Amino acid sequence: MYVVTGDEMRRIDAFTMDQVGLSDMMLMENAGSAVFNRLLQRIEPSGSRVLVLIGTGNNGGDGFVIGRKLMEAGFETEVWVVPPDEKIRGAAKGHADVFAKCGHRYGSFEKDSSLFYEKLTSYTHVIDCLLGTGVKGELRSPYQEVVDAVNRTDACVISVDMPSGIPAEEGAPAAAGIRADRTMILQAPKETTFLFPYAESFGEWEVADIGIPDCSFKNSGITKYVRGESDVCRTLPKRKANVHKGANGKGLVVGGSRGMPGALSLTTLAALRTGIGLCTVALPEDIRLLVTQNAAEATLVNLPSQDGEIAPDGLEALDLTPYDGVAIGPGMGRAHRYDLYGYFRDFKGTVVIDADGLNHLSRELENWKDGRDRLTVITPHPGEMAVLTGKTIKEVERNRFSISRQFAREHQMVVVLKGPYTITSTPEGEQWVNTSGNPALAKGGSGDVLTGMILASVLQHSHKIEGILNAVYVHGHAADQLIHERDELGVTASDVINQLPRAFHSLRYP
């Protein structure tokens, strides 16, 4: 499934019509029919009074199809058009004519707004077909007044494609749009489906296929995707009967300090629970017992310590030759400086950098623009991404797609920007939105768990990007399973680790 902006969707529509040969009237009929079929699963004809609210453009045209089909299926339905009739043009006008020729009538807000407001509170359901992806800036009158009035009703509000008033792409100020209970997205989610605070306006959402072929997206250069459960089930690695531990990856986890030994333990345990063949922990020698008693399966390398952290020259004593991948940063501390690029530049394996490792990375970013010959993965939360880019957290949150994509390209790294709907970006410009997870993960230690999972997963996948994406999904999937058993407030990072075997099993044998 693709993710698009409003402008990209218009390009895709144009290609579909001009090059593929599907007419705008047909696409509009497909869209309205797809939404109608889903409405049949959610609205009972008996006792329901449905309002279809129509604006200009394609979204309004979809509304005429939906209204016609609801009426002909026996639903008590009223259609109201907000703009003047002369502003209904193109395919939308064509479907307005079909609506009328079938013997149906609609109300005009322009001619009788007082009656509209009088009747608004009597509807059980409002189908929002006002604006779709056509919003630029703040809503103008009378749309803002209509949106505000709909938001004050007790009706179940179902938006078609987009909640009216909400922008389709990142970067726009938060808008005062429709607050939908459910959004039926047409063909492909738009960027703001996955960005807060916009995402709150979508309510529950689902995607309706309206018949746009895959070639329309590919020829329009779309490289943003949704990563879902079926993708993970299809790509989880399967072990051969004669496999040995060395074939499942030899990983090294570097970090820990006197003040934060637990972070390293979580990362190591997560790597083990994700199936790594051999895991070694490199840590300050004075905290080794605190870590090894929690991760008995891991081997140990003691590093020189200073002030409870790895000594400034401590990494230089560590031989990376035996390892296929390294995760560095959890609980590492910030008292000293380390030359991460100089240390990892010639390493032939994967490097995963998280937590305090990202703070050290931020001081030497210029060096990383040359990249490495092998995969480098960083896993920042929005605050860490703000430090890496010199932007505010608010700017990062508002522009998660573009900021993570640009950083990945400039520094030749895979960026896993954590948060609700984690976004993974590659140096080549591809991006994936993760759909698993919940607020139970908003706790200390969750990121340390993900770091260990990514290290282990990458080393077991022939396609390393799939390894990253699968780790991100399973991490959230484990948390999703846990909140069916207990309240989200009581879920800890250790609980997520203990849940991993069940999470993997449920995906491998769905």
Side-chain angles (χ1 to χ4, degrees):
M1 187 188 302
Y2 295 91
V3 180
V4 297
T5 66
D7 287 340
E8 287 171 340
M9 196 68 230
R10 283 183 279 278
R11 269 205 325 268
I12 292 161
D13 286 341
F15 182 92
T16 304
M17 291 183 286
D18 298 340
Q19 303 300 319
V20 177
L22 299 180
S23 71
D24 49 359
M25 286 286 289
M26 178 184 292
L27 291 175
M28 206 167 281
E29 182 73 19
N30 288 353
S33 297
V35 171
F36 167 73
N37 289 332
R38 289 170 182 262
L39 290 174
L40 289 178
Q41 303 168 23
R42 301 195 171 276
I43 304 177
E44 292 291 336
S46 177
S48 298
R49 294 198 72 239
V50 183
L51 164 66
V52 180
L53 199 51
I54 288 179
T56 59
N58 291 345
N59 204 231
D62 300 336
F64 281 114
V65 178
I66 295 166
R68 167 169 53 88
K69 288 184 171 288
L70 285 169
M71 289 175 174
E72 293 178 357
F75 287 82
E76 186 177 352
T77 304
E78 292 188 7
V79 173
W80 279 81
V81 175
V82 173
D85 285 349
E86 61 268 20
K87 290 194 174 182
I88 307 292
R89 303 187 182 100
K93 177 64 167 63
H95 276 291
D97 292 341
V98 171
F99 180 88
K101 289 175 181 177
C102 289
H104 306 304
R105 301 178 64 184
Y106 58 82
S108 170
F109 178 87
E110 182 193 33
K111 296 174 182 176
D112 207 346
S113 59
S114 58
L115 179 61
F116 170 81
Y117 287 123
E118 179 183 327
K119 300 183 75 171
L120 182 57
T121 57
S122 68
Y123 301 111
T124 60
H125 296 78
V126 176
I127 312 302
D128 162 32
C129 298
L130 278 175
L131 295 168
T133 61
V135 175
K136 299 293 182 183
E138 295 183 359
L139 292 178
R140 289 173 288 187
S141 183
Y143 287 97
Q144 187 64 69
E145 291 84 352
V146 171
V147 165
D148 291 341
V150 169
N151 286 338
R152 289 193 295 268
T153 70
D154 295 326
C156 174
V157 180
I158 300 173
S159 290
V160 174
D161 203 25
M162 293 283 302
S164 290
I166 302 301
E169 48 276 310
E170 66 176 13
I178 286 283
R179 295 192 297 271
D181 295 288
R182 176 169 293 271
T183 301
M184 295 186 176
I185 296 169
L186 303 180
Q187 197 69 50
K190 316 310 178 285
E191 286 182 345
T192 49
T193 311
F194 309 106
L195 302 175
F196 287 85
Y198 320 106
E200 294 173 328
S201 294
F202 285 76
E204 298 292 325
W205 57 269
E206 57 188 293
V207 178
D209 188 336
I210 66 170
I212 295 178
D214 191 60
C215 66
S216 295
F217 290 90
K218 291 180 177 177
N219 280 280
S220 300
I222 308 303
T223 56
K224 299 188 292 290
Y225 315 93
V226 176
R227 183 76 172 181
E229 183 170 319
S230 61
D231 301 304
V232 179
C233 294
R234 176 176 48 82
T235 57
L236 280 178
K238 296 180 180 178
R239 294 187 174 182
K240 297 180 180 179
N242 64 341
V243 72
H244 58 87
K245 59 188 176 183
N248 296 318
K250 300 174 184 178
L252 176 68
V253 181
V254 183
S257 62
R258 191 180 302 147
M260 293 180 287
L264 198 62
S265 297
L266 292 170
T267 300
T268 305
L269 285 167
L272 291 165
R273 286 291 192 189
T274 307
I276 196 168
L278 293 164
C279 189
T280 299
V281 185
L283 73 175
E285 55 189 353
D286 57 354
I287 67 165
R288 64 185 183 277
L289 293 179
L290 295 173
V291 175
T292 54
Q293 65 185 359
N294 292 320
E297 297 88 348
T299 55
L300 188 67
V301 174
N302 292 321
L303 296 178
S305 62
Q306 182 178 323
D307 302 324
E309 299 180 7
I310 299 171
D313 59 352
L315 296 180
E316 298 172 9
L318 188 58
D319 179 17
L320 297 180
T321 305
Y323 305 107
D324 304 311
V326 177
I328 186 167
M332 192 173 188
R334 304 181 183 183
H336 308 306
R337 293 285 299 272
Y338 307 97
D339 179 12
L340 298 186
Y341 183 73
Y343 183 61
F344 289 118
R345 178 180 52 206
D346 298 323
F347 175 50
K348 301 304 181 184
T350 295
V351 176
V352 184
I353 306 174
D354 183 34
D356 291 329
L358 296 173
N359 182 269
H360 299 299
L361 176 70
S362 69
R363 300 169 180 173
E364 52 180 60
L365 282 176
E366 195 63 31
N367 296 335
W368 287 84
K369 288 187 177 180
D370 294 332
R372 296 173 57 244
D373 290 339
R374 297 296 189 273
L375 178 67
T376 303
V377 185
I378 64 171
T379 59
H381 57 57
E384 291 163 338
M385 198 70 199
V387 171
L388 289 169
T389 58
K391 300 184 182 298
T392 66
I393 295 176
K394 185 176 181 180
E395 288 173 319
V396 170
E397 290 287 65
R398 186 176 285 176
N399 300 278
R400 286 169 63 85
F401 285 97
S402 58
I403 286 176
S404 56
R405 180 174 55 242
Q406 181 178 352
F407 192 94
R409 282 175 167 166
E410 286 185 359
H411 299 91
Q412 294 300 293
M413 300 173 176
V414 174
V415 177
V416 180
L417 181 53
K418 295 180 292 194
Y421 299 118
T422 291
I423 298 173
T424 299
S425 306
T426 71
E428 295 74 31
E430 290 187 298
Q431 295 185 292
W432 289 266
V433 178
N434 183 64
T435 54
S436 68
N438 59 72
L441 292 173
K443 293 192 179 79
S446 292
D448 303 315
V449 172
L450 180 60
T451 298
M453 292 181 67
I454 289 175
L455 174 65
S457 187
V458 164
L459 300 187
Q460 296 172 79
H461 282 72
S462 56
H463 192 303
K464 295 185 183 301
I465 297 300
E466 285 184 347
I468 298 169
L469 299 174
N470 286 352
V472 172
Y473 187 90
V474 176
H475 182 246
H477 184 62
D480 289 339
Q481 290 181 326
L482 284 168
I483 64 169
H484 290 296
E485 304 169 4
R486 65 194 76 178
D487 189 84
E488 63 188 25
L489 298 180
V491 175
T492 67
S494 296
D495 291 332
V496 174
I497 293 173
N498 293 332
Q499 185 68 22
L500 289 178
R502 297 183 187 89
F504 278 109
H505 187 272
S506 68
L507 292 167
R508 197 178 299 280
Y509 305 104

